[in-house]
Structure formats: structure tokens, C-alpha cells
Amino acid sequence: MDYGQFFIFVGVGLLAQLVDGALGMAYGLVSNSILLALGLPPAVASATVHTAEVFTTGVSGASHAWFGNVRWKLFWQLAIPGAIGGILGATFLASVPGEAIRPWVNAYLLILGTMVLLRAFGKRLTRHQVQHSGVLGFFAGLLDAIGGGGWGPLATSTLIARGGGVRSTIGSVNAAEFVVTVCVSATLVWHVGAGHWPIVLGLLTGGVIAAPFAAWLVRHLPEHAVMAAVGSLIVLISLSQLAQALL
């Protein structure tokens, strides 16, 4: 890989982490979609992205903790079941392609994104909190490993749509993602091996640069503006992925 390609992946990592750290989602989705477009097998692409995310999620989680965005009870409720789901999903992906499940995940995300947008624009939704965060964490980790991304969209979208505070939800989900990513990355590397280190280095370099600024944005942006951005991002990603699956 030449320096031009390296800096392209630095830019991809920077933009992906800026979105992920500020909105709680999309680093894996953005990065993984590009790697798949370059022809990498799903398991190898997921392993590459999750290896880079070990570093970016570590910096992002620490940044959110520094700015007081993490609710630790929620963090543990998501992190432990999420790690278990991630290990199982990574083991499954190493032997069976996970492409077939993506349309169902994106249909679910489309519904959640619409709910978040309705709340952002003043529509009253139920305010009761998610009662089983551990179950949510398990399935978010499972699907994140299989699809190469999706922890943030599933966990953040569900918690915010069901009444969770925006700042504490995004901070807690980002911090828990570090634990899940370490487990997914280690499992995939065990099964498919490690490679494509120039891509990993480019992605994580851009991500580490962007992570502290993204955490600062969450603390200072208006809540409804963040919710509107979250909802719009989910809807756009979901519609795009569903359209690609149908064509």
C-alpha cells in the first residue's frame, strides 16, 4: 500500500470515528462497507475493522469517561453480555457468511431510526427505560460481530428510542463497545488470522485523532440536535443497505 492509500484510510477512520463518537454509531458500518467493496471476505473485513476498533474504542470510551458521559451501571449491563454475544457471533461468522441477516437488521434499524426522529421533533414516545439492557447488549454484540458493525446502531438506537438520555447513552455504549470489540477481534484473529495491517493502521490513526473531539461534541451539542442527527443517520444507512440488498 502506498502513502496515498494509507492517508485515504486515515481519512476514512477519522470521519467514521467522528460520527461514531459523536452519535454512538457507524464506525464499523462505514469502515466495513469500504473493505467489503474492496473485495475482502466478510470475516477478514470484520477482523480488520475490529482490530482497528480495539484502539479507537479504547480512546473513545476513555474520552467519554473523562467528559462524564458514562453511566457505569449501564456500561456493565451492556459490556458483559455484549462480549458473550460478540464471541458467539465471531465464531459463527468464521464458518458461515453473515450477509443473509443484514436485510433484517437494517429493517429493524429503519424502524428505530424513525422512532428517534419522531422523538427529536417533539413527538411524545413512551418514556420507560429499557428493562433488559443485558439482552440488548448480547444481541448487539452478536450482530456487530456477524455484520462487521452494528453495535452502536442497535444499542444506541434502542436505548434512545425507549427514553434513555442522549449523552449518557452514547457515552456508555461507546465505552462498552471497547470490551465487546476486544473479544470480537481476538476471536476472529484466532479463527481467520491477522492481516492487512496498513489498513488497520490507517483506520485507527484517523479514529484516535477524532475520538476526543467527538466526545467533546456530545457534551456541548443540544440534545434534540444530536437525536435528529442520530435518527437521520440510522434511516439513511438502513435505506441504503436495504436498497443494495434488493437490487
Side-chain angles (χ1 to χ4, degrees), residues 1-9 198:
M1 178 184 294
D2 60 32
Y3 286 108
Q5 290 177 310
F6 171 77
F7 284 112
I8 288 174
F9 284 107

Side-chain angles (χ1 to χ4, degrees), residues 138-205:
F138 174 82
F139 282 104
L142 182 74
L143 295 173
D144 180 82
I146 293 173
W151 167 264
L154 284 170
T156 303
S157 304
T158 302
L159 290 168
I160 291 178
R162 298 293 295 276
V166 172
R167 183 163 64 91
S168 64
T169 295
I170 291 174
S172 302
V173 169
N174 268 254
E177 187 177 13
F178 170 70
V179 178
V180 176
T181 300
V182 168
C183 294
V184 172
S185 178
T187 304
L188 285 172
V189 169
W190 174 266
H191 285 289
V192 303
H196 304 284
W197 287 106
I199 300 176
V200 171
L201 184 60
L203 292 176
L204 71 88
T205 299

Side-chain angles (χ1 to χ4, degrees), residues 39-233:
L40 271 69
V44 175
S46 182
T48 303
V49 171
H50 281 95
T51 301
E53 283 188 310
V54 168
F55 300 91
T56 59
T57 57
V59 175
S60 180
S63 300
H64 279 292
W66 175 266
F67 286 107
N69 298 336
V70 178
R71 184 154 58 92
W72 292 106
K73 181 180 179 180
L74 177 61
F75 165 82
W76 289 113
Q77 289 173 337
L78 293 171
I80 296 176
I84 295 171
I87 292 171
L88 293 176
T91 303
F92 176 79
L93 179 64
S95 56
V96 180
E99 300 294 325
I101 200 173
R102 287 189 179 182
W104 300 100
V105 175
N106 284 303
Y108 170 65
L109 294 178
L110 181 60
I111 295 171
L112 288 177
T114 303
M115 291 176 64
V116 173
L117 279 175
L118 289 173
R119 183 180 167 196
F121 291 106
K123 180 70 175 177
R124 287 186 176 273
L125 300 176
T126 177
R127 295 293 304 182
H128 63 277
Q129 300 288 329
V130 172
Q131 298 299 316
H132 303 289
S133 299
V135 175
L136 172 63
F138 174 82
F139 282 104
L142 182 74
L143 295 173
D144 180 82
I146 293 173
W151 167 264
L154 284 170
T156 303
S157 304
T158 302
L159 290 168
I160 291 178
R162 298 293 295 276
V166 172
R167 183 163 64 91
S168 64
T169 295
I170 291 174
S172 302
V173 169
N174 268 254
E177 187 177 13
F178 170 70
V179 178
V180 176
T181 300
V182 168
C183 294
V184 172
S185 178
T187 304
L188 285 172
V189 169
W190 174 266
H191 285 289
V192 303
H196 304 284
W197 287 106
I199 300 176
V200 171
L201 184 60
L203 292 176
L204 71 88
T205 299
V208 168
I209 292 171
F213 181 61
W216 179 88
L217 282 177
V218 172
R219 187 173 179 85
H220 292 85
L221 285 176
E223 180 172 305
H224 285 286
V226 176
M227 279 195 296
V230 169
S232 299
L233 181 66

